[in-house]
Amino acid sequence: MWLREIEPVELLRQVVVQTYHVTTDTRGREVIRKREADSDGLPPGQLRLASPYDPDARWSAKGDELFWCGYKVHLTETCDPHTDADTPDTTTAGTSASTDTSATASPARPNLITDVVTTVSTASDVTATAGIQQRLTERQLKPGEHYLDSGYPSAELVADAARDGITMVTPLLADRSRQARAAEGFDKSAFDVDWKARQVGCPEGRTSTGWYPVRQHGHDAIVIEFARSDCRPCPSRDKCTTAIKGRRMLTLRPQELHEHVAAARTAQKTDTWQAKYALRAGVEGTINQALDVTGMRRARYRGLPKVSLQHAFSATAINIIRLDAYWTSQQPHRPRTRMSRLSRLAYRLAA
């Protein structure tokens, strides 16, 4: 009995230690106050306990307005408009707390949720992508095209998926260099890379003098260096660099990743790509359907395993609703239960 009781007590102790700070005032008395991040230090979000009742729940934020304590669910559904396709396309969306997914319904068959995974709320969306694609492949549901929100891809994931026959249709993060953010000057796309010669040419016709393979943040990279004697007298120096050393340096990905990223960023600027990517918006309706019909946003249980099961049941319920609507629509002479205008509107928006 004692071994069963000590775990909640230890959990409560950790919550108290992480939340409050004990100091001694000038009179030698102990003072207990809430911890301040700037002065007292706080554990990182993925380790900071949010509740003594649920050891897996975490506080998280999305943007400047959405804050919640709990989990994050990622939903994947089919979005293939063709009835005879062998490899249905899928879209993935992640939302805070619990989510519902609505799909762009095809008149021939309903779009169904094919994967649901629940993570702690502090886990970034990109950490879920590889697992989603692996599970879809194991279930013989590997998508030819995978439509995802901008939080799910990375250059490495895009390249790995392409090798496995999956085209990830998703916005890659933009170039974060000063020149790219300001939309003026020479960003990375303005430089010509000669991978065989291991040299880079700048817009003014100068050639790099240094090519250094390195490891940065656990990933392979290549640091490119131009000569100070070329950069300092350059008439376009202000458009290129403000470095104190007076020379431009670039950091590139390995060739395969660099070319994938460059091609993706170029494609993302076209109207054709934007029109194609609009298909992903259908999953937002699915999310709304799950929220309205199953109440997925509120966790009914404590602990990640039980909340994961709740989300799986919610996704199953949505699939049953869609299949029932589809099968009913195939039998026009079958009596139908009366549906309110509000319900019909909700299903129409979710379709």
Side-chain angles (χ1 to χ4, degrees):
M1 178 61 107
W2 172 250
L3 292 178
R4 294 182 63 185
E5 292 294 333
I6 194 172
E7 184 178 355
V9 172
E10 174 62 20
L11 181 63
L12 179 60
R13 186 194 71 81
Q14 292 182 31
V15 172
V16 172
V17 170
Q18 292 180 0
T19 306
Y20 299 99
H21 183 60
V22 180
T23 59
T24 304
D25 62 13
T26 56
R27 300 175 60 180
R29 296 179 302 181
E30 282 190 348
V31 177
I32 301 176
R33 58 182 174 80
K34 192 172 182 179
R35 284 185 177 272
E36 298 292 340
D38 296 334
S39 57
D40 306 319
L42 290 172
Q46 64 267 28
L47 299 178
R48 193 184 315 159
L49 297 174
S51 168
Y53 303 104
D54 190 340
D56 297 327
R58 295 291 185 270
W59 279 103
S60 191
K62 187 174 184 180
D64 297 329
E65 299 180 356
L66 180 59
F67 297 88
W68 78 96
C69 177
Y71 304 88
K72 185 185 292 185
V73 60
H74 309 267
L75 298 171
T76 303
E77 67 177 2
T78 61
C79 61
D80 189 350
H82 303 293
T83 59
D84 57 350
D86 294 328
T87 55
D89 299 338
T90 62
T91 91
T92 298
T95 62
S96 54
S98 44
T99 327
D100 232 8
T101 57
S102 84
T104 307
S106 167
R109 66 184 182 187
N111 292 315
L112 300 178
I113 299 173
T114 55
D115 187 80
V116 53
V117 58
T118 306
T119 65
V120 294
S121 62
T122 53
S124 59
D125 294 343
V126 70
T127 60
T129 306
I132 292 171
Q133 293 177 347
Q134 180 180 354
R135 288 188 296 274
L136 291 174
T137 301
E138 291 172 352
R139 297 168 187 158
Q140 298 183 356
L141 293 171
K142 183 172 73 170
E145 291 183 337
H146 197 178
Y147 294 77
L148 304 105
D149 188 85
S150 59
Y152 289 89
S154 69
E156 291 81 2
L157 287 171
V158 171
D160 291 343
R163 284 192 290 267
D164 292 336
I166 300 174
T167 300
M168 291 175 60
V169 183
T170 175
L172 281 177
L173 294 179
D175 185 353
R176 302 305 300 167
S177 66
R178 176 186 64 83
Q179 296 84 353
R181 292 197 307 269
E184 60 182 17
F186 302 141
D187 59 12
K188 292 180 182 179
S189 62
F191 292 78
D192 296 323
V193 183
D194 187 336
W195 297 98
K196 291 184 178 180
R198 296 163 67 97
Q199 290 181 329
V200 175
C202 79
E204 289 292 341
R206 306 298 181 182
T207 302
S208 63
T209 57
W211 179 288
Y212 308 107
V214 298
R215 291 281 293 179
Q216 292 184 348
H217 309 293
H219 300 285
D220 292 330
I222 302 169
V223 174
I224 307 299
E225 187 178 71
F226 286 84
R228 187 181 292 110
S229 58
D230 289 334
C231 291
R232 282 190 170 179
C234 179
S236 301
R237 177 182 169 185
D238 293 341
K239 299 179 181 179
C240 191
T241 182
T242 58
I244 298 177
K245 294 183 178 180
R247 61 183 174 186
R248 180 67 184 267
M249 299 184 69
L250 298 173
T251 301
L252 305 178
R253 307 254 187 164
Q255 181 177 0
E256 182 183 15
L257 296 182
H258 177 84
E259 292 175 349
H260 268 293
V261 171
R265 287 175 177 166
T266 300
Q268 287 167 202
K269 298 177 182 179
T270 64
D271 294 339
T272 301
W273 189 93
Q274 293 291 339
K276 184 177 184 179
Y277 183 65
L279 181 62
R280 197 213 70 87
V283 80
E284 300 297 341
T286 300
I287 292 172
N288 290 332
Q289 187 183 14
L291 294 177
D292 296 339
V293 176
T294 70
M296 187 184 278
R297 188 175 295 280
R298 184 173 182 83
R300 296 184 174 89
Y301 310 100
R302 298 170 184 169
L304 182 59
K306 290 184 178 180
V307 175
S308 298
L309 186 60
Q310 174 194 334
H311 291 164
F313 281 146
S314 296
T316 302
I318 296 299
N319 283 346
I320 292 174
I321 291 172
R322 292 181 174 182
L323 287 171
D324 175 69
Y326 169 69
W327 288 328
T328 301
S329 68
Q330 301 301 306
Q331 302 177 28
H333 300 295
R334 178 180 175 182
R336 300 184 184 180
T337 303
R338 183 179 179 276
M339 181 181 292
S340 68
R341 293 183 179 180
L342 183 60
S343 296
R344 288 199 298 271
L345 178 61
Y347 280 114
R348 190 177 298 115
L349 292 176

